[in-house]
Amino acid sequence: MLKNYLKVALRNLWKNKGFSAINIIGLASGLAVCLLIVLYVVDELSYDKYYPNAERIYRIDADIFFNNTSAIFAVSPDPLGPALKRDFPEVEEITRVENQGGILVKKDNRNVQDDHAAFADSTFFKVFALPMVAGNPLTALRDPNSIVIDETTAKKYFNTTDVLGKTLIVDNDNYCKITGVIKDIPKQSHFHFHFIRPRGKDNPSWLSNNRYNYVLVRPGVTKQQLQKDVDATINNYLGKELQNQLHASLNDLKKTGGHFNYYVMPVTDIHLHSDKQYEIEANGNITYVYIFSVIAIFILLIACVNFMNLSTARSANRAKEVGIRKVAGSLRTHLIIQFLTESILICLFSLVLAITIAMLLMPLFNQLAGKEMSIGTLFSTWLFPVMLALVIAVGFVAGSYPAFYLSSFQPIDVLKGKIAKGFKSSWLRSSLVVFQFSISIILIIGTIVIYNQLDFIRSRKIGYNRDQVLVLHNAWYLDKQIHSFRNELLNITGIENASISGDLPTGNSFNTEGWFRDAAMNANKAVVLTNFYIDENYIPTLGMEIANGRNFSKNFPSDSSGIILNEAAVKVLGLKEPLKETLYRPDFSNDVIGAAIPYHIVGVVKDFNFSSMHDNVGPLVIQLRENWGSIAVRIKTKNIASVINTIETRWNAATAGQPFSYTFMDDDFNKVYTAEQQTGKLFITFAVFAIFIGCLGLFGLVTYAAEQRTREIGVRKVLGASVGGIVTMLSKDFAKLVLIAAVIAFPLAWWAMHTWLQSFAYRTTLSWWIFVVAGMAAILIALITVSIQAIKAAVANPVTALRSE
C-alpha cells in the first residue's frame, strides 16, 4: 500500500507541476533561510563553551561611580585574583591576563607585525584547558623567557609544529624559548591569542584596574557564592586602601551615591552580554540573536503559511477524485493517508532543496554575518533531527485539513460539487495572506530604519573631521626620531598637518582616572574622567573646535601641567569659569597613589564623539603628554597613493625596516559599527526572501482563483469586459488584504524599531514616510505578482474557457 500511495502522490505532483514547484520552492526557501539563521544563532550561543570546565570559569569586571561619572571595565585590580585564591577555598585557581595586542616577531632577518599577543600567569592553562599539541601546560609559562604559540603561528614561522625548544625573537630584543604549542583557539572565543608570555611584576594597587582576572571555582560553587567572596575581598583590601589614600570609606561613598563594585561575569556570557571598556575583542550582542531568531520564526511561518494556503486551496480540485474513489470502495483511512503522504512528500523534497540552497548561500551568508560557519554543523548536532521533525509536522498539518475534511463527506455531495464551492472563498486563507504580508511589511520598515540610522551615523557631525586622515600605527618604532619624522612628513606635498598621539577618537580603550576639585583628594568629591594624552598639533589636525580658552602651545612651558576639558566635563564638574579653576589627580608614578598633582585648565574643547554613538559624549580631560602610539596625518590631495608611498619610504629609512602599518580614520570609525552594518545587510536579505516567499504564495493563490473563475472570466469577456477590468477584478481582493496587513504591521514595526533605536544616544527619527513607502512597496509588489497571472487569464480566448465547461 505504501508503494501505491507514493506512486499516486508522485503522479499528482507531476500532473500539477506548477503548483508543486511553487509549493516546494516556497517552503524550501523559507527552510533554507531559517536554517542559516539557526546556524548563526547556535554559533553565537556556543562562545567559550568548548572548555571542559567552562561553566566554572568567571571574569571579574569593574563598575566604578563617582558624582554622576562612571567607568565600567572588563578589567579589575591586579591583587584581586591572588587574594581570592588565598582567602577562599571555593576558588580552585586564578589567572591574570594582560592583552599586549600587537607583537613584533623576527622572521628571515626582518620584523613581522603580528596580532593577538598576551601576558598571563603560569596558571593560565589550569583555568583555560586549551588542548596542547606539544609541551607541558603546567610548566609552559614558568620561565620568564618562555613563550607559548598556537599551531598556525608555529607553521607560519617554522613550517612545522615541532618547535619545542626553538627561539623566537620578539619586540626586537627579547629571546623567547618556545615551551608549548596549543591548538588554534576556536573562532567561538572571546579571545584569540597566538602568543602567550609570562607576566612581569605585579601591581600592588587596589585602585588601579589593569588586569583581566579569571577565576576557576570548585565544582558546586555558584556564581552567587563567588560574588559574596569578591564583595568581601573588595571591602577588606580595596576599602582599606581607599581610606588610606583617598580619605573615604566604601560606606562614605555609598552615602553620596558612589561605589566600587566588582561583578562576576560567567565566561560563557562574555560574548553576548558584555560590552565594557577594555574588552579583549569586540563582542556580539544578545539583542541581535533575539532579532534574528524572531526573523527566522517569521520567515518559516510565512513559508509554512504559503504551503498550507496553497495545499488547502488546491485540494478543492481533488473533491471529484475523492468522490469517485469513495464510490469505488476506498476507505476514509486510505484517503487520509494518501493526502498526508503527498503533503509530507512535498515537505521532504523541500527539505532536500533547502539544504542545497543553504549550502550554496553559506559563503555569502558568512561574508554578511562575519562568520566561518559550515553546513556540516547541521548534521553533527541536534539541528537536523529537529528540522526533519519540523517539516514532517508541517506536512501533516497542511495535509490534514483536506485529508480529514474532504474524506468526511458523502460521495454524492462531493460529486455534486457542494464541497468545492466551500473552498472558493476562505477567511482562513485570507487571514494567512494578511499574516505573511504583515511580516513582510515589518521587515521592509526595519530595513529602511536600519539603513537610515547607519546613514545618520555616517553623516552626523561628530565634533572632528575624520575625512582624509591617515593613521600610522606603532609609532613607538620611531623612538627618539618620532618628532623629526613628523617634521619630515610636513615637508611632503599634500600633507597639511600631523599629530603624535595614541589616543584617537576612533579607538576603543582609553585611560580613565579619578580627578578632584581640591588637593585633599577626598573620594567623596572625585569624578571619573576619560584621559587623552596628546601633543599641541592634535586639535588642529583633527579639526576640533575650542569653545573657550586656547589650545596647548609650545609658547607656554607651563602647559606641561595644563589640561583641556570637553564641554561634558565642564558640565559634570559644575565649573562656571573653567579657565580660573585647577583640578588634581593622584601621582601614580610608583604604582602606588602619591601626592596630588595640580593641573590648571587652559581651554575647553567642543564635545566630540570618542566612543560609540550608542553612548552620550562622556566627560574628558586632555593632557599635554608624550604618547607615541600613533601619528595622525591630515592629507589634502587627490593623489593619496603617492603620498602614502612617500611616507612609507621615509618610514623605512627612519625605522630600519620596521613594519609599516596604516589605516584611514573614516574606516576605523565605520568598524565601530560593524555589527549594525552586518545587521542592516542581513535585514535586507531576509526582507527580500520574505517578500519572495510571500509573492510565490500570492502567485499560486491568484492562479487558483483564476482557475476557479474560468467560466466567469469567459462570460465577462463575451459580454465585453476589458482586460483591465478583469485584471482589476482579480487584483482588488488581494490588494485589500495587503492594505489590512499594512494597518496591522505599522504599529508593530513602529514599536520594534523605536525599541531598537533607543540603544543609540544619537539616532534618526521614525518618519511617517517610512511607513507609507513600506506599505506602497508591499502593495505594488503584490499587484505586480497578481497582475502577471491575472493578465494571462484575462487575455485567454473565452471560447476555450466556455467550451471546457
Side-chain angles (χ1 to χ4, degrees):
M1 286 296 291
L2 179 61
K3 183 178 179 181
N4 181 62
Y5 292 142
L6 290 174
K7 272 187 177 181
V8 174
L10 290 171
R11 284 174 186 166
N12 278 317
L13 293 179
W14 184 251
K15 178 183 176 183
N16 302 291
K17 292 186 285 291
F19 266 86
S20 299
I22 290 173
N23 253 344
I24 292 172
I25 294 173
L27 184 57
S29 299
L31 287 171
V33 174
C34 181
L35 177 57
L36 290 173
I37 297 176
V38 168
L39 290 174
Y40 168 86
V41 170
V42 169
D43 184 87
E44 285 288 282
L45 294 175
S46 65
Y47 269 68
D48 294 302
K49 293 183 179 178
Y50 55 88
Y51 301 115
N53 50 6
E55 75 284 352
R56 296 194 286 127
I57 304 174
Y58 299 88
R59 187 184 72 189
I60 303 175
D61 300 340
D63 179 2
I64 302 168
F65 187 83
F66 292 117
N67 295 317
N68 295 318
T69 59
S70 65
I72 301 176
F73 302 138
V75 290
S76 48
D78 200 348
L80 178 55
L84 287 169
K85 174 74 183 298
R86 181 177 60 248
D87 296 346
F88 297 98
E90 297 93 337
V91 176
E92 181 176 320
E93 194 54 86
I94 65 96
T95 191
R96 293 163 295 177
V97 175
E98 300 172 43
N99 184 22
Q100 184 182 1
I103 186 174
L104 274 184
V105 184
K106 185 78 74 175
K107 182 181 182 183
D108 301 330
N109 295 320
R110 64 184 179 88
N111 278 325
V112 176
Q113 173 75 30
D114 220 320
D115 295 321
H116 305 295
F119 296 100
D121 287 324
S122 60
T123 54
F124 181 82
F125 296 109
K126 290 183 179 179
V127 176
F128 297 102
L130 294 167
M132 191 163 276
V133 178
N136 185 343
L138 300 179
T139 60
L141 293 175
R142 286 184 181 174
D143 189 330
N145 296 317
S146 61
I147 189 169
V148 174
I149 60 178
D150 63 9
E151 284 184 298
T152 296
T153 303
K155 292 174 183 177
K156 177 178 178 179
Y157 292 100
F158 299 99
N159 296 319
T160 179
T161 57
D162 186 17
V163 295
L164 279 187
K166 294 185 178 181
T167 301
L168 276 178
I169 303 175
V170 301
D171 295 336
N172 293 314
D173 56 1
N174 292 312
Y175 289 78
C176 297
K177 180 181 177 181
I178 299 175
T179 54
V181 180
I182 58 173
K183 286 186 175 294
D184 291 349
I185 296 175
K187 178 74 173 177
Q188 294 80 13
S189 175
H190 77 284
F191 60 68
H192 296 88
F193 299 135
H194 303 318
F195 306 85
I196 306 174
R197 299 161 65 188
R199 289 181 64 248
K201 70 172 186 176
D202 292 345
N203 180 345
S205 174
W206 281 87
L207 295 175
S208 179
N209 296 281
N210 48 20
R211 301 291 184 267
Y212 299 96
N213 275 281
Y214 293 96
V215 178
L216 174 67
V217 299
R218 299 189 185 280
V221 177
T222 64
K223 176 183 174 182
Q224 290 73 21
Q225 286 176 281
L226 179 60
Q227 185 65 61
K228 289 181 180 178
D229 295 344
V230 170
D231 292 342
T233 303
I234 293 300
N235 288 332
N236 186 18
Y237 294 97
L238 187 145
K240 290 178 181 177
E241 187 165 323
L242 186 69
Q243 183 71 58
N244 294 334
Q245 300 286 347
L246 301 180
H247 319 297
S249 67
L250 288 174
N251 286 331
D252 291 336
L253 275 184
K254 290 179 181 178
K255 291 176 183 178
T256 60
H259 60 245
F260 272 93
N261 290 334
Y262 290 86
Y263 293 110
V264 170
M265 167 71 73
V267 73
T268 52
D269 288 350
I270 290 175
H271 177 67
L272 290 176
H273 298 274
S274 184
D275 185 25
K276 302 177 177 67
Q277 194 171 347
Y278 302 117
E279 294 286 352
I280 296 177
E281 296 179 13
N283 289 325
N285 190 325
I286 190 63
T287 301
Y288 294 130
V289 171
Y290 293 147
I291 289 172
F292 290 138
S293 298
V294 170
I295 289 175
I297 294 171
F298 278 173
I299 289 180
L300 185 61
L301 285 174
I302 289 175
C304 293
V305 162
N306 262 358
F307 182 75
M308 290 185 283
N309 228 348
L310 293 176
S311 295
T312 55
R314 191 64 183 173
S315 62
N317 294 344
R318 304 282 299 277
K320 190 177 294 185
E321 174 195 341
V322 170
I324 293 172
R325 291 183 65 172
K326 292 193 79 170
V327 169
S330 285
L331 298 176
R332 185 187 181 196
T333 305
H334 296 162
L335 293 172
I336 291 172
I337 295 174
Q338 181 65 58
F339 276 107
L340 293 178
T341 300
E342 290 180 22
S343 183
I344 293 173
L345 195 61
I346 292 177
C347 286
L348 293 176
F349 286 153
S350 299
L351 178 59
V352 174
L353 182 58
I355 294 173
T356 304
I357 294 172
M359 289 176 64
L360 295 174
L361 293 179
M362 185 63 77
L364 176 61
F365 186 78
N366 279 334
Q367 184 180 353
L368 291 175
K371 294 287 184 182
E372 296 177 3
M373 299 181 297
S374 168
I375 198 68
T377 307
L378 173 66
F379 301 102
S380 60
T381 62
W382 48 267
L383 290 177
F384 183 74
V386 170
M387 192 66 73
L388 182 62
L390 177 65
V391 296
I392 291 175
V394 169
F396 182 84
V397 172
S400 61
Y401 179 58
F404 291 101
Y405 183 66
L406 282 180
S407 62
S408 65
F409 285 86
Q410 295 299 318
I412 188 66
D413 294 327
V414 176
L415 293 175
K416 285 182 177 180
K418 292 181 180 179
I419 309 303
K421 292 177 183 177
F423 279 81
K424 290 185 180 180
S425 177
S426 171
W427 66 267
L428 176 62
R429 280 199 301 280
S430 298
S431 301
L432 294 177
V433 170
V434 169
F435 170 78
Q436 63 185 182
F437 267 89
S438 295
I439 295 173
S440 297
I441 292 169
I442 290 172
L443 290 177
I444 293 172
I445 293 171
T447 299
I448 296 173
V449 172
I450 291 173
Y451 177 83
N452 283 349
Q453 176 63 16
L454 293 176
D455 184 65
F456 175 82
I457 289 171
R458 285 190 293 266
S459 60
R460 182 182 180 273
K461 290 183 178 181
I462 54 176
Y464 65 94
N465 183 3
R466 64 181 184 271
D467 296 331
Q468 287 201 303
V469 176
L470 187 74
V471 180
L472 307 181
H473 301 290
N474 307 317
W476 52 76
Y477 295 155
L478 294 160
D479 200 24
K480 295 178 181 179
Q481 301 181 67
I482 192 166
H483 294 289
S484 60
F485 179 78
R486 176 193 173 272
N487 293 334
E488 283 186 47
L489 293 180
L490 297 180
N491 294 325
I492 299 174
T493 303
I495 292 182
E496 187 176 359
N497 208 337
S499 169
I500 303 168
S501 176
D503 289 326
L504 299 176
T506 50
N508 56 10
S509 293
F510 306 112
N511 189 38
T512 305
E513 293 180 357
W515 286 77
F516 304 84
R517 292 288 303 273
D518 56 59
M521 294 195 303
N522 189 309
N524 289 322
K525 298 180 181 179
V527 291
V528 179
L529 303 179
T530 300
N531 286 48
F532 271 27
Y533 304 130
I534 69 170
D535 64 7
E536 67 276 3
N537 307 297
Y538 186 93
I539 289 175
T541 298
L542 296 186
M544 296 172 179
E545 296 183 43
I546 295 293
N548 193 4
R550 61 175 176 83
N551 183 26
F552 295 126
S553 172
K554 289 183 178 179
N555 298 325
F556 295 89
S558 63
D559 279 0
S560 60
S561 61
I563 55 175
I564 295 174
L565 302 179
N566 70 346
E567 293 171 313
V570 172
K571 184 177 180 181
V572 165
L573 290 163
L575 305 179
K576 294 182 179 178
E577 296 184 87
L579 301 184
K580 296 180 180 180
E581 297 282 353
T582 298
L583 296 184
Y584 299 83
R585 61 174 285 273
D587 182 4
F588 289 100
S589 57
N590 295 312
D591 291 332
V592 177
I593 293 178
I597 304 175
Y599 289 85
H600 60 281
I601 301 171
V602 301
V604 177
V605 67
K606 286 190 175 181
D607 283 342
F608 60 92
N609 284 92
F610 58 89
S611 61
S612 166
M613 287 197 188
H614 289 279
D615 308 312
N616 289 305
V617 175
L620 174 72
V621 57
I622 303 173
Q623 294 177 248
L624 184 64
R625 184 188 293 187
E626 294 282 4
N627 183 359
W628 294 356
S630 308
I631 301 178
V633 183
R634 176 161 296 284
I635 299 174
K636 194 174 183 180
T637 179
K638 293 182 179 179
N639 194 1
I640 296 176
S642 175
V643 172
I644 293 175
N645 289 334
T646 305
I647 294 173
E648 184 174 7
T649 301
R650 303 283 178 89
W651 173 278
N652 291 334
T655 64
Q658 298 284 17
F660 177 67
S661 174
Y662 70 89
T663 56
F664 284 95
M665 187 171 281
D666 53 354
D667 291 336
D668 295 336
F669 176 85
N670 291 332
K671 286 179 183 177
V672 176
Y673 306 99
T674 299
E676 285 76 15
Q677 290 167 356
Q678 289 174 344
T679 302
K681 292 175 183 177
L682 290 174
F683 235 99
I684 293 171
T685 305
F686 298 148
V688 169
F689 265 98
I691 293 167
F692 169 73
I693 296 167
C695 288
L696 272 180
L698 207 58
F699 185 82
L701 285 176
V702 75
T703 302
Y704 162 75
E707 285 183 4
Q708 293 291 308
R709 302 174 75 171
T710 300
R711 182 169 60 179
E712 178 187 348
I713 293 171
V715 171
R716 285 177 179 271
K717 289 198 70 176
V718 168
L719 295 176
S722 65
V723 172
I726 293 173
V727 170
T728 301
M729 177 191 72
L730 291 172
S731 303
K732 64 180 181 181
D733 290 338
F734 292 103
K736 289 177 183 177
L737 296 179
V738 177
L739 279 173
I740 295 171
V743 171
I744 294 172
F746 286 169
L748 294 175
W750 181 90
W751 172 80
M753 289 297 95
H754 176 75
T755 303
W756 179 74
L757 286 172
Q758 295 310 302
S759 65
F760 292 89
Y762 305 95
R763 52 185 176 267
T764 186
T765 56
L766 280 172
S767 303
W768 60 269
W769 64 264
I770 295 175
F771 299 89
V772 174
V773 168
M776 294 299 293
I779 292 172
L780 184 62
I781 291 168
L783 288 178
I784 291 173
T785 304
V786 171
S787 297
I788 291 172
Q789 186 61 28
I791 292 172
K792 181 181 176 182
V795 299
N797 190 337
V799 175
T800 305
L802 294 174
R803 187 172 56 195
S804 65
E805 292 295 322

